[in-house]
Amino acid sequence: MIRYGAVEAGGTKMVLTVCGEDLKPLEKAVLPTEEPGRTLPAMIDFFRDKGISALGIGSFGPLQLNPAAPDYGSITSTPKLAWRSVPILKAMTDALNVPGEIDTDVNAAALAEFELGAAKGLRSCLYVTVGTGIGGGVVCEGQLVHGLLHPEFGHMLLRPDPADPMPDGVCPYHKGCLEGLASGPAMEKRWGESAKTLPENHDGWRIEAEYLAQMCANAVCCLSPEKIILGGGVMHRTSLFARVRERTGALLGGYIQNERILNGMEDYIVPPALGDLAGATGAALLARRALKA
């Protein structure tokens, strides 16, 4: 019986899932992301007696994703200083004696939505998570996009909204980037209140939609994805989708002459079909690819 180990490695928690050959979850554990010397052994111990055939990891980054690099599978310049240069893939696959594959958490989710979810049957998609941080994963012609490193959608530079009282944002690296302006922590710092409780009629939602629409318009013009999927905790405010679609259309100004853009984008900018399972499913798909390889 084939079983896949799936890791969703996040900045605050590690979600560990054992999936069957059909990619359905069989067992799950959640561990806090503490320092690597404590967290990695606990992750390995969880999988050690589960009989997994391969391991897939969707991780926070940045990551080294060049298989030819000596530090392939390592976390690199993350703000979580204790995790810098940690070879998370090698540490786990060596200890468990299984093949493995790693990618960004958002690339894993993009792969899941492409194979089994909202973008199934298409040739390309963009998956963006909007939560504690913002990241984007891209599938093009069936392949995950890496390039020089991998996409860093959260650090796309934007035009501040004229009414934004915090136009520089909260990113320690860049002024006016998407993550610094539109992430959950950015909203909370700007308004003194979590996005979860911010009233529906608060102008903060218009400003949030402005920034996400700028990102979507940039993505349409630069990548031309066949579908844009927006996930993450902030997007649980489902009324945000209509605002983002409307503003994206206004920003594009009729330049992109495609019916999926011109007809309201209800089927173009969408929530993830797999919901909260996108990350684990994507990591399991990475494990399946590693086993086939």
Side-chain angles (χ1 to χ4, degrees):
M1 178 187 297
I2 293 177
R3 291 187 171 192
Y4 300 116
V7 177
E8 299 171 79
T12 57
K13 63 183 178 180
M14 300 286 184
V15 181
L16 316 176
T17 307
V18 177
C19 297
E21 193 167 3
D22 60 357
L23 306 180
K24 299 282 180 63
L26 300 173
E27 193 171 344
K28 178 179 174 180
V30 180
L31 303 175
T33 303
E34 301 175 315
E35 54 88 19
R38 180 181 179 89
T39 303
L40 273 173
M43 295 164 68
I44 291 165
D45 285 344
F46 170 78
F47 286 115
R48 198 180 294 279
D49 62 350
K50 300 299 189 295
I52 63 171
S53 304
L55 181 73
I57 303 175
S59 177
F60 67 92
L63 301 173
Q64 174 56 266
L65 296 179
N66 180 0
D71 59 342
Y72 168 66
S74 296
I75 299 169
T76 59
S77 56
T78 175
K80 291 187 71 66
L81 299 182
W83 285 84
R84 286 191 175 185
S85 303
V86 171
I88 182 172
L89 178 65
K90 180 175 172 54
M92 295 194 70
T93 53
D94 282 0
L96 297 169
N97 194 29
V98 295
E101 186 168 336
I102 188 171
D103 216 307
T104 62
D105 47 3
V106 282
N107 256 1
L111 180 64
E113 290 292 333
F114 178 79
E115 294 271 356
L116 303 167
K120 185 177 180 180
L122 302 178
R123 295 174 300 164
S124 64
C125 72
L126 165 65
Y127 180 98
V128 179
T129 184
V130 187
T132 304
I134 296 181
V138 182
V139 180
C140 183
E141 301 298 338
Q143 300 298 316
L144 289 167
V145 172
H146 294 148
L148 183 66
L149 181 66
H150 48 71
E152 283 285 359
F153 262 73
H155 297 279
M156 177 187 300
L157 301 181
L158 304 179
R159 296 181 302 195
D161 185 278
D164 188 349
M166 195 181 72
D168 287 345
V170 298
C171 177
Y173 293 97
H174 316 110
K175 290 184 178 181
C177 75
L178 176 63
E179 181 171 291
L181 291 170
S183 64
M187 293 188 73
E188 185 164 355
K189 183 167 184 181
R190 181 184 288 116
W191 307 119
E193 184 174 351
S194 168
K196 294 178 182 178
T197 58
L198 200 66
E200 190 70 36
N201 61 354
H202 195 286
D203 194 50
W205 290 113
R206 182 196 62 78
I207 292 174
E208 180 72 3
E210 170 66 27
Y211 293 140
L212 295 180
Q214 286 188 40
M215 178 273 295
C216 288
N218 287 336
V220 169
C221 292
C222 294
L223 297 174
S224 196
E226 292 176 288
K227 187 155 289 192
I228 296 175
I229 303 157
L230 302 181
V234 172
M235 299 310 302
H236 288 170
R237 184 66 65 104
T238 55
S239 59
L240 193 51
F241 280 93
R243 291 175 180 261
V244 172
R245 292 172 186 135
E246 181 180 5
R247 184 58 183 152
T248 300
L251 288 170
L252 289 172
Y255 180 72
I256 304 297
Q257 289 292 304
N258 182 281
E259 61 181 17
R260 300 184 66 201
I261 299 293
L262 298 175
N263 292 338
M265 289 185 279
E266 285 80 5
D267 189 46
Y268 184 68
I269 299 175
V270 300
L274 298 176
D276 293 336
L277 290 177
T281 304
L285 283 166
L286 292 174
R288 187 169 75 179
R289 296 196 334 176
L291 187 61
K292 287 182 177 180

